[in-house]
């Protein structure tokens, strides 16, 4: 839960909130690195 709150506080995009739901949540270490634009 603390990880989710931290991500939201650090400007997690609203368009990606579904990734923070319990059934989609992944540890930060396991998340793929975002692709550069």
């Amino acid at each position: 839960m603390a990880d989710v709150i931290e991500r939201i506080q650090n400007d997690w995009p609203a368009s990606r909130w579904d990734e923070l739901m319990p059934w989609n949540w992944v540890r930060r270490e396991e998340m793929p690195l975002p692709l550069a634009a």
Side-chain angles (χ1 to χ4, degrees), residues 8-34:
I8 292 170
Q9 287 177 338
N10 290 328
D11 296 322
W12 188 264
S15 62
R16 293 180 57 199
W17 280 8
D18 61 316
E19 296 175 35
L20 302 178
M21 296 297 132
W23 48 88
N24 291 332
W25 181 82
V26 180
R27 284 183 182 206
R28 191 174 301 259
E29 299 87 34
E30 297 171 6
M31 288 185 69
L33 296 174

